[in-house]
Amino acid sequence: MKKITVLGSTGSIGVNTLDVLRRHPESFSVFALTASSNVEVIYAQCMEFRPQFAVMVNPKHAMELQARLKQSGAKTEVLAGPAALDEVAAHADVDTVMAAIVGAAGLSSCIAAATAGKRLLLANKEALVVGGEVFMSAVKQGGAVLLPIDSEHSAIFQSLPDSRDHWPSVIDKLILTASGGPFRTWNQSQIREATPEQACAHPNWVMGRKISVDSATMMNKALEVIEAKFLFDVLPRQIDVIIHPQSVVHSMVQYVDNSVVAQLGTPDMRGPIAYGLAWPQRVASGSSALDFSTMASLTFESIHSEAHQARFPGLKLAWETLMGQAGSTVVLNAANEIAVAAFLDRRIRFDQIHTVNTRTLTQLDFVSPDNLSSLMALDTEARSLAENICTSLLQ
């Protein structure tokens, strides 16, 4: 019986993780659940899964949850604050940690789990985009088992040989697929006037608002390129992106003999979640099977076309930051989080998200970070500058 901590249990990945766990009560039990502020959802989760701990980042919400659980007779102990996230991620009784906290806020708990040598199911892109070598060093030193949960990286992992020792000699290229999001066929005038509601209306996947906007700008793919570099220890030039509107082929590995191995499946995050939970075995995920007899076609479009380059200018920032000063990926991620929040609050236009990102990268002068403290200091500095740039765009 594996004991699981779910960091970010009320979000899309967290909810899907609990759905997979629900299907296998003989194999998994929930040790801890965490959330930022959604008391209603985590209360219901606690009543169903009866974890030993529940963590609310906000102390006020923690008190509310504790009172409701006590009234219901539940024995779950409620903790509060960011340090409590690290505690339940690194707890000695935990076997596996699902890291599904969105944004740089999830980095500290990811490092705590890695340092403690857990099986770490990584759905938080920012742990690698922000943490980079610092995070990977914690994984290595702690002896953690790092398994990617993003559908694209899970697909690559499933398409590679079992032994990491063989990867450098056989990989020619990693090819990440992208749906193109809701604006794949829009012109620049339409994109300029896009609303938050339109940006969040993803054609294939059900995701949170921030990730949905990242899909619409293709910044999610830029972050995935950065993530792939660290996950699979390849050079930036060995990573490519191709648009695949059907979201059936989740990603591919091109080998040195030019053969290509791909992983296919329905666009359902329960597939990679189940794979990560059970690896190296497989268990039922609850996702539906592909029906090839009803599939009209699988199509692909070059991201390097003139039209797509104009629609998705932010994608190239992935390679630019990877080849730039160490810490550039931290700045890009911080700026993007601020810009997306400003767009969702209708403070800036959709196309100005890219403006905020590029101006923050070019205007911030910094020293490359080499530990968690300096990473978070740079993250804070970049956010402050990005916020000022958002404000200037309003004037």
Side-chain angles (χ1 to χ4, degrees):
M1 179 72 73
K2 294 179 181 177
K3 293 185 178 180
I4 316 295
T5 284
V6 183
L7 301 171
S9 67
T10 61
S12 175
I13 295 294
V15 169
N16 278 306
T17 299
L18 292 176
D19 185 68
V20 175
L21 295 176
R22 183 182 291 120
R23 299 167 189 274
H24 303 282
E26 74 290 346
S27 300
F28 307 103
S29 66
V30 176
F31 177 79
L33 299 173
T34 85
S36 175
S37 58
N38 197 329
V39 174
E40 194 67 35
V41 172
I42 198 171
Y43 168 76
Q45 292 173 343
C46 287
M47 293 305 296
E48 177 181 359
F49 291 95
R50 304 288 174 167
Q52 185 170 337
F53 294 102
V55 177
M56 301 297 295
V57 176
N58 186 306
K60 176 184 175 182
H61 294 130
M63 292 178 62
E64 181 183 346
L65 176 62
Q66 182 71 79
R68 293 191 62 179
L69 289 172
K70 184 177 181 180
Q71 187 177 20
S72 301
K75 297 181 179 180
T76 297
E77 181 179 349
V78 179
L79 306 175
L85 297 176
D86 296 356
E87 180 181 342
V88 297
H91 198 286
D93 291 341
V94 172
D95 303 293
T96 301
V97 175
M98 169 58 76
I101 297 174
V102 175
L107 176 58
S108 179
S109 52
C110 282
I111 289 180
T115 303
K118 305 303 181 184
R119 173 181 290 213
L120 180 55
L121 310 185
L122 192 64
N124 175 297
K125 292 180 177 66
E126 292 77 11
L128 281 163
V129 174
V130 178
E133 297 294 350
V134 173
F135 174 69
M136 292 306 296
S137 177
V139 170
K140 184 176 181 179
Q141 292 177 12
V145 176
L146 181 63
L147 299 173
I149 298 301
D150 269 354
S151 60
E152 295 82 1
H153 301 100
S154 177
I156 289 171
F157 184 71
Q158 293 181 57
S159 300
L160 284 168
D162 290 339
S163 173
R164 289 188 70 104
D165 294 339
H166 295 157
W167 292 1
S169 62
V170 299
I171 294 174
D172 178 55
K173 185 185 296 185
L174 306 180
I175 305 170
L176 300 171
T177 58
S179 70
F183 304 149
R184 180 177 64 87
T185 61
W186 285 32
N187 61 42
Q188 287 177 275
S189 296
Q190 291 173 302
I191 289 174
R192 174 187 168 90
E193 303 303 324
T195 66
E197 291 75 21
Q198 290 169 323
C200 291
H202 197 282
N204 299 335
W205 297 91
V206 177
M207 305 180 292
R209 281 162 59 81
K210 193 270 181 183
I211 298 174
S212 295
V213 175
D214 282 347
S215 179
T217 61
M218 203 72 87
M219 185 52 64
N220 72 321
K221 212 54 53 178
L223 299 179
E224 287 168 14
V225 168
I226 296 168
E227 190 178 4
K229 187 272 179 194
F230 290 108
L231 274 172
F232 304 110
D233 195 23
V234 295
L235 298 172
R237 61 175 173 77
Q238 289 180 283
I239 308 170
D240 201 1
V241 173
I242 191 163
I243 289 183
H244 170 51
Q246 294 81 22
S247 296
V248 170
V249 178
H250 293 309
S251 278
M252 301 171 270
V253 177
Q254 181 172 305
Y255 286 88
V256 292
D257 61 358
N258 286 331
S259 62
V260 177
V261 177
Q263 187 267 335
L264 284 68
T266 52
D268 189 327
M269 285 307 300
R270 290 177 296 178
I273 289 169
Y275 184 74
L277 286 167
W279 180 85
Q281 282 76 43
R282 290 181 183 267
V283 297
S285 67
S287 61
S288 57
L290 286 176
D291 184 353
F292 289 96
S293 67
T294 63
M295 228 175 273
S297 63
L298 298 178
T299 61
F300 301 90
E301 304 167 9
S302 172
I303 194 63
H304 306 294
S305 71
E306 185 177 343
H308 284 329
Q309 289 280 302
R311 288 187 186 100
F312 308 118
L315 182 58
K316 68 178 183 295
L317 296 177
W319 289 274
E320 291 179 6
T321 54
L322 282 173
M323 293 185 288
Q325 180 183 354
S328 297
T329 59
V330 180
V331 176
L332 174 60
N333 178 76
N336 185 63
E337 287 191 20
I338 293 297
V340 170
F343 167 68
L344 289 171
D345 289 341
R346 304 178 195 276
R347 295 171 51 217
I348 64 172
R349 296 193 313 268
F350 180 82
D351 63 312
Q352 290 177 322
I353 294 173
H354 180 62
T355 302
V356 174
N357 292 342
T358 53
R359 289 187 184 178
T360 305
L361 281 166
T362 56
Q363 293 178 21
L364 187 63
D365 185 22
F366 62 92
V367 176
S368 296
D370 58 5
N371 55 46
L372 178 58
S373 177
S374 58
L375 284 171
M376 299 317 295
L378 177 57
D379 176 80
T380 299
E381 189 177 1
R383 287 171 188 273
S384 177
L385 175 57
E387 189 62 61
N388 289 339
I389 293 170
C390 287
T391 300
S392 72
L393 292 173
L394 290 170
Q395 297 172 354

